């Protein structure tokens, strides 16, 4: 191994130094990154998506999977395991021509990604090898010449990239051959192999499809060929052309008085939905296992709650603590253990909606809703972070489904289930009673439903909700109704009304981005235009009533106070379901561009969701990372490093011979340092090492737990975040009164991948009075 390493370094120096020249110095950094790369990739992807037919779209899908496996799984795992230093960090006199990478050296992700793409493109477009192979070789060579990788890093990247791509293509093809023939026989007969898209199937050629032979009546919803997952267009006849899809639905579509007809039975649509939900769940769990991001402040804060189970808490009901208690007992006190239930809850909610729409309108609508939700940044990221939003959306959706059954059946049992789900929702988030407002709107808009008000069912449901609220009421009664005070302050109810448009514009802009601009505008269009064509449809009125009142309530409330973007989360899925039904009707009526806008929404949403999950990809794609203040993942990064800096200051003070504890100025930094400092985590819950700065009045949950007043005579490190150097202040007066002496240790920058993500100010506090 020593001889190989010596040879590796010798070849690196020969390429990086001895073989250097002015021409390569100008050209090689261009292959590392250039401003034309991202536009070229985007244009090529759009070309494959819009004009590539089935072969192009399957190729694009497998490209994404192959690069994701090669870079995100194989290379990332090996870099974290091997921790090989980059040449510029390990050797002297290295000519560094590009930016320093923040990850390990072995293997080279650039080489792996380019050779993975080369192999996939070769499978579907043989002539691409003539330009892809030289490009991949040049990019790989440039990593050595630019001083950021050893030759062995590049060779390992080439082998791993090509091998990963071959494994992905072969595995997906074998999976399709097995599942396709059993679960979607009509589709498999047209295209039995994904590696030979244009080859004829057992019964007919994939390219032949007569819309006149389309089979069974459909449910009148958007056909999945409008998603853009289609094979070659059938011969044009009439106003619309028919398409077939070998990978996710190969069918012919024809217009009929009852709506659309399709050769794909409902059972096969359901299977397609199940596969999509399972695939998304697996991807999310793998993402969590990769530790790409650290915990957010609320996740760490509520993790500490789970170690102090109670009837309720200062700002939230008890459900989130119970869920984290269950999850961490299954997987341990790790980030994965804390977040495990979030994607699981998201999958259950998707399953509820898939089956709900399958029964009421058709499984195709459910599949499309799953795709839309997956490509909505707010819902996608909400299914990763373990906050109160995932279970709230789940209980809201469950109450919606059983409530609709109760309205239809007119029996008591569904109403009891509705009350139970709403009660569980109230134990999750205090905004759950807004669903009562939604029910009032539905009874107001749909007169036949008012007959239920003369039955005991709705009132029994309300009684169940009140029973579920008892733990929260008991805890608040014991603690001076502090939650009511907190919620009034958070909602701006403790101050006079002051009209402002600033929060309205802020909220609108956040919804435009987090809900996907295409979906947001389409949703508003559906809310505004659905009533006339659907005034005789109780189901559409029900969907409107279960979403629009909440969204409009918060939107109007922004004229008074700030509204957080996630507060409307329970209203999104019913509004998206209404959006799908409304725009399908417009498409059937001849509206132009509906399918193109849907494709744009899915494509844009997929890109947004990927970048929201790892904003480091922006730096890889555009050559420069996001500024920290613009990085949406800033609050979930570099906390381990923050805890290390705080822990180091504590170790230095321990040399004085006395015990040292830590005080945070806010519950967020207190919780995160507790989780990421090993000795602090080990002391939870009975022997805490990190405390929140004490206050005279309740400001967070730490007020109700034992503080540091019992640690008289001990030393402490006080830590707080500093937004800017201009905002530096002295120690709080309360801290100076509590300790014999307080000394400013200065501001410590917290780096992350070569940039300063945050700054903390530390104080050395001696001898607690």
């Amino acid at each position: 191994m020593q001889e190989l390493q010596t040879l590796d370094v010798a070849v690196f120096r020969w390429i990086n130094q001895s073989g250097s020249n002015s021409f390569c110095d100008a050209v090689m950094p261009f292959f590392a990154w250039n401003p034309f790369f991202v536009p070229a990739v985007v244009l090529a992807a759009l070309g494959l998506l819009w004009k590539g037919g089935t072969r192009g779209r399957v190729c694009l899908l497998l490209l994404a999977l192959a690069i994701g496996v090669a870079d995100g799984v194989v290379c990332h795992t090996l870099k974290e395991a091997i921790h090989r230093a980059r040449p510029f960090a390990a050797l002297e006199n290295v000519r560094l021509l590009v930016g320093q990478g923040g990850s390990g050296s072995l293997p080279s992700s650039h080489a792996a990604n380019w050779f993975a793409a080369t192999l996939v493109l070769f499978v579907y477009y043989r002539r691409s090898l003539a330009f892809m192979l030289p490009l991949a070789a040049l990019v790989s060579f440039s990593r050595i010449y630019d001083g950021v990788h050893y030759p062995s890093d590049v060779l390992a990247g080439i082998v791993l990239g090509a091998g990963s791509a071959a494994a992905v293509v072969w595995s997906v093809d074998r999976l399709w051959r097995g599942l396709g023939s059993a679960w979607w026989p009509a589709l498999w007969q047209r295209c039995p192999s994904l590696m030979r898209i244009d080859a004829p199937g057992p019964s007919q050629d994939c390219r032949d499809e007569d819309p006149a032979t389309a089979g069974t009546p459909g449910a009148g919803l958007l056909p999945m060929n409008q998603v853009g997952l289609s094979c070659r267009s059938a011969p044009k006849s009439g106003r619309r052309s028919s398409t077939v899809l070998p990978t996710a639905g190969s069918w012919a579509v024809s217009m009929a008085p009852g709506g659309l007809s399709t050769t794909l039975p409902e059972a096969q649509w359901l299977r397609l939905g199940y596969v999509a939900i399972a695939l998304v769940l697996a991807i999310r769990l793998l993402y969590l296992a990769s530790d790409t991001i650290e915990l957010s402040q609320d996740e760490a804060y509520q993790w500490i709650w789970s170690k102090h189970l109670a009837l309720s808490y200062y700002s939230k009901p008890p459900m989130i603590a119970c869920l984290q208690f269950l999850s961490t007992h299954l997987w341990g006190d790790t980030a994965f253990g804390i977040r495990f239930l979030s994607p699981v809850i998201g999958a259950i909610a998707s399953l509820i909606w898939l089956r709900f729409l399958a029964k009421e309108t058709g499984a195709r609508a459910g599949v499309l809703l799953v795709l839309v939700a997956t490509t909505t940044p707010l819902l996608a990221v909400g299914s990763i972070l373990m906050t109160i939003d995932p279970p709230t959306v789940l209980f809201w959706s469950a109450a919606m489904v059983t409530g609709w059954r109760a309205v239809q059946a007119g029996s008591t049992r569904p109403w009891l289930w509705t009350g139970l789900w709403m009660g569980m929702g109230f134990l999750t988030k205090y905004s759950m009673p807004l669903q009562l407002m939604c029910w009032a709107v539905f009874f107001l808009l749909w007169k036949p439903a008012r007959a239920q008000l003369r039955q005991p069912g709705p009132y029994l449901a309300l009684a169940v909700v009140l029973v579920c609220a008892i733990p929260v009421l008991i805890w608040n009664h014991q603690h001076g109704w502090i939650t009511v005070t907190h919620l009034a302050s958070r909602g701006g109810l403790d101050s006079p009304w002051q009209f402002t448009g600033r929060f309205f514009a802020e909220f609108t802009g956040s919804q435009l981005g987090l809900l996907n601009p295409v979906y947001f505008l389409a949703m508003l269009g559906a809310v505004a235009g659905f009533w006339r064509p659907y005034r005789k449809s109780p189901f559409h009125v029900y969907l409107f009533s279960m979403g629009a009142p909440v969204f409009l309530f918060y939107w109007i409330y922004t004229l008074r106070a700030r509204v957080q973007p996630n507060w409307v989360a329970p209203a999104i899925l019913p509004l998206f379901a209404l959006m799908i039904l409304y725009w399908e009707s417009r498409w059937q009526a001849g509206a132009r561009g509906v399918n193109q806008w849907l494709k744009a929404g899915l494509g844009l949403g997929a890109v947004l969701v990927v970048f929201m999950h790892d904003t480091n990809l922006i730096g890889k794609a555009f050559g420069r990372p996001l500024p920290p203040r613009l990085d949406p993942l800033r609050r979930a990064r570099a906390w381990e490093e923050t805890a290390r800096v705080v822990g180091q200051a504590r170790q230095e003070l321990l040399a004085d011979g006395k015990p040292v504890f830590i005080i945070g100025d806010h519950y967020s930094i207190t919780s995160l340092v507790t989780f990421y400092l090993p000795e602090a985590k080990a002391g939870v819950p009975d022997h805490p090492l990190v405390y929140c700065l004490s206050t005279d009045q309740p400001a967070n949950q730490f007020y109700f737990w034992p503080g540091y007043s019992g640690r008289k005579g001990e030393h402490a490190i006080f830590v707080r975040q500093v937004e800017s150097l201009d905002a530096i202040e002295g120690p709080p007066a309360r801290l100076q009164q509590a300790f014999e002496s307080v000394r400013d240790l200065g501001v410590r920058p917290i780096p992350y991948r070569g940039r300063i993500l945050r700054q903390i100010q530390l104080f050395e506090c001696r001898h607690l009075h």
Side-chain angles (χ1 to χ4, degrees):
M1 291 300 297
Q2 183 63 36
E3 293 177 354
L4 291 175
Q5 185 174 359
T6 302
L7 177 62
D8 198 25
V9 173
V11 175
F12 169 79
R13 289 197 179 279
W14 180 76
I15 295 175
N16 178 253
Q17 296 173 351
S18 302
S20 62
N21 58 79
S22 58
F23 175 77
C24 289
D25 286 352
V27 171
M28 288 303 163
F30 178 85
F31 287 100
W33 180 85
N34 61 81
F36 307 106
F37 175 72
V38 173
V41 170
V42 171
L43 289 175
L46 289 176
L48 288 174
L49 183 65
W50 291 85
K51 299 295 184 180
T54 302
R55 181 194 298 182
R57 293 175 185 124
V58 172
C59 177
L60 189 62
L61 175 63
L62 291 180
L63 272 172
L65 287 175
I67 293 175
V69 170
D71 190 354
V73 179
V74 177
C75 290
H76 175 79
T77 302
L78 290 176
K79 285 183 177 185
E80 291 295 323
I82 297 172
H83 283 295
R84 186 184 194 184
R86 300 262 185 164
F88 57 78
L91 305 177
E92 295 180 354
N93 303 321
V94 172
R95 299 173 64 252
L96 184 63
L97 304 183
V98 294
Q100 300 181 8
S103 58
S105 185
L106 178 67
S108 168
S109 295
H110 277 72
N113 294 342
W114 272 91
F115 274 88
T118 299
L119 189 139
V120 174
L121 286 171
F122 175 72
V123 170
Y124 291 96
Y125 301 95
R126 298 301 174 93
R127 295 181 180 179
S128 66
L129 193 66
F131 64 88
M132 280 299 297
L133 186 58
L135 273 176
L138 275 173
V139 170
S140 301
F141 179 79
S142 73
R143 305 306 289 167
I144 308 172
Y145 189 91
D146 293 335
V148 291
H149 279 294
Y150 295 99
S152 59
D153 301 338
V154 171
L155 290 175
I158 292 172
V159 173
L160 293 171
S164 299
V168 166
V169 172
W170 182 85
S171 300
V172 172
D173 181 63
R174 295 301 301 178
L175 188 65
W176 171 249
R177 288 170 181 256
L179 293 182
S181 60
W183 289 6
W184 301 285
L187 315 184
W188 177 82
Q189 286 180 354
R190 295 187 179 94
C191 290
S193 173
L194 297 185
M195 295 178 65
R196 299 181 61 199
I197 298 296
D198 293 331
S203 62
Q204 69 178 88
D205 194 309
C206 171
R207 296 166 290 184
D208 296 331
E209 186 65 35
D210 184 2
T213 63
T216 59
L221 297 173
L222 250 180
M224 288 299 294
N225 65 308
Q226 298 307 310
V227 181
L229 304 174
S230 59
C231 192
R232 299 191 178 188
S233 297
K236 296 183 178 179
S237 60
R239 185 172 52 87
R240 302 205 182 272
S241 61
S242 300
T243 55
V244 291
L245 168 69
T247 58
S250 179
W251 56 86
V253 179
S254 62
M255 301 302 299
L260 296 169
S261 60
T262 175
T263 60
L264 193 63
E266 283 290 294
Q268 296 186 30
W269 274 110
L270 274 175
R271 291 171 190 160
L272 186 62
Y274 296 151
V275 169
I277 293 171
L279 181 61
V280 170
L281 174 61
I283 291 173
R284 286 172 175 168
L285 290 175
L286 287 173
Y287 171 80
L288 293 183
S290 71
D291 289 329
T292 301
I293 59 174
E294 298 174 5
L295 292 183
S296 64
Q297 58 185 35
D298 283 346
E299 289 175 305
Y301 185 35
Q302 290 153 12
W303 165 74
I304 298 180
W305 293 6
S306 71
K307 306 303 179 182
H308 301 82
L309 292 179
L311 295 177
S312 190
Y313 299 90
Y314 169 78
S315 57
K316 301 288 190 296
M319 182 62 71
I320 185 65
C322 295
L323 291 174
Q324 288 214 19
F325 177 86
L326 172 62
S327 185
T328 53
H329 271 68
L330 290 173
W331 299 98
D333 291 321
T334 63
F336 180 85
I338 290 173
R339 289 174 170 157
F340 169 73
L341 286 180
S342 184
V344 173
I345 289 172
I348 296 173
S350 297
L351 189 62
I352 288 174
W353 276 97
L354 174 65
R355 295 189 62 85
F356 182 44
L357 293 181
K359 183 173 182 180
E360 299 302 327
T361 57
R364 285 176 295 171
V367 173
L368 186 55
L369 182 61
V370 169
L371 293 176
V372 168
T374 303
T375 51
T376 300
L378 179 64
L379 299 179
V381 175
S383 295
I384 292 295
L385 304 180
M386 188 55 200
T387 63
I388 58 175
D389 290 323
T392 301
V393 171
L394 174 64
F395 293 131
W396 187 286
S397 301
M400 270 191 62
V401 172
T402 56
W404 178 247
R405 301 284 183 263
V407 170
Q408 288 184 309
S411 59
T412 302
R413 184 175 179 180
W415 279 114
L416 293 176
W417 278 108
T418 302
L420 176 63
W421 297 130
M422 291 181 64
M424 298 291 281
F426 180 78
L427 291 175
T428 304
K429 191 171 184 177
Y430 289 122
S431 62
M432 191 70 183
L434 287 176
Q435 198 166 30
L436 296 175
M437 176 182 67
C438 295
W439 276 106
V441 171
F442 177 64
F443 287 134
L444 179 65
L445 295 179
W446 195 254
K447 184 177 180 180
R450 298 174 204 167
Q452 293 293 320
L453 297 177
R454 296 190 291 271
Q455 303 296 326
Y459 308 103
L460 291 174
L462 185 59
V464 173
V465 174
L466 294 176
V467 170
C468 291
I470 288 177
V472 174
L473 298 176
I474 292 176
W475 187 90
N476 271 274
H477 175 71
Q478 295 172 343
H479 296 85
W481 302 99
I482 187 61
T483 303
V484 178
T485 305
H486 166 73
L487 293 178
S489 174
R490 186 170 175 81
L493 298 178
D494 58 345
S495 59
W497 176 284
Q498 291 183 350
F499 177 85
T500 175
R502 178 167 60 93
F503 297 139
F504 181 87
E506 177 185 280
F507 177 79
T508 304
S510 66
Q511 295 303 308
L512 186 66
L514 291 175
L515 294 185
N516 187 324
V518 176
Y519 301 156
F520 180 68
L521 297 176
M523 181 186 74
L524 294 183
V527 169
F530 95 99
W531 180 252
R532 179 181 293 271
Y534 288 123
R535 61 182 180 273
K536 296 182 179 180
S537 170
F539 186 66
H540 298 85
V541 175
Y542 185 71
L543 293 175
F544 170 86
S545 302
M546 288 295 148
V550 174
F551 198 96
L552 294 176
F553 169 78
Y554 281 124
W555 210 352
I556 294 172
Y557 198 79
T558 58
L559 299 176
R560 172 184 173 87
R562 174 176 279 110
V563 172
Q564 298 301 322
N566 63 300
W567 290 3
V568 299
I572 301 306
L573 288 176
L575 289 178
F576 276 179
L578 178 67
M579 173 188 74
I580 291 170
L581 301 181
Y582 173 77
W583 286 108
E584 187 275 334
S585 70
R586 298 285 296 139
W587 181 82
Q588 288 194 52
R592 296 179 178 272
V594 174
N595 53 349
Q596 286 81 5
W597 280 108
L598 183 55
K599 294 176 185 178
L602 291 170
L604 175 62
V607 173
L608 291 175
V609 166
V610 168
F611 282 119
M612 284 286 288
H613 280 70
D614 189 1
T615 51
N616 292 330
L617 296 175
I618 296 177
K620 292 182 178 180
F622 297 97
R624 59 187 66 183
L626 279 176
R629 61 185 181 84
L630 298 179
D631 191 343
L633 293 181
R634 178 190 177 192
R635 293 192 297 175
R637 281 189 170 139
W639 288 114
E640 188 172 1
E641 174 64 15
T642 303
R644 188 195 65 79
V645 172
V646 175
Q648 183 179 1
R650 174 179 175 270
Q651 290 297 325
E652 293 172 359
L653 188 55
L654 277 171
D656 209 31
K658 286 192 175 183
V660 180
F661 59 96
I662 300 169
I663 304 174
D665 72 322
H666 190 263
Y667 75 81
S668 61
I669 198 166
T670 302
S671 305
L672 287 159
V673 171
T674 298
F675 183 84
Y676 283 108
L677 191 64
E679 55 266 37
K681 181 192 285 189
V684 176
D686 298 323
H687 306 285
L689 183 64
V690 187
Y691 302 84
C692 196
L693 184 64
S694 62
T695 57
D696 293 327
Q697 298 295 326
N700 52 59
Q701 186 61 35
F702 286 101
Y703 177 88
F704 302 101
W705 297 330
Y708 50 82
S709 59
R711 307 189 68 149
K712 292 180 175 61
E714 297 184 11
H715 299 338
I717 294 293
F718 176 71
V719 55
R720 68 180 174 197
Q721 289 195 74
V722 178
E723 292 300 326
S724 67
L725 295 179
D726 297 332
I728 295 178
E729 300 177 356
R734 190 178 191 89
L735 199 69
Q736 291 179 309
Q737 295 169 3
F739 288 88
E740 182 176 303
S741 66
V742 178
R743 184 168 69 93
D744 189 350
L745 297 179
V747 175
R748 309 289 176 89
I750 305 299
Y752 176 79
R753 288 180 172 260
R755 52 191 174 126
I756 304 302
L757 207 61
R758 69 175 59 87
Q759 299 177 102
I760 58 173
Q761 187 177 13
L762 300 178
F763 293 88
E764 181 184 272
C765 310
R766 292 178 178 270
H767 303 292
L768 177 67
H769 292 318

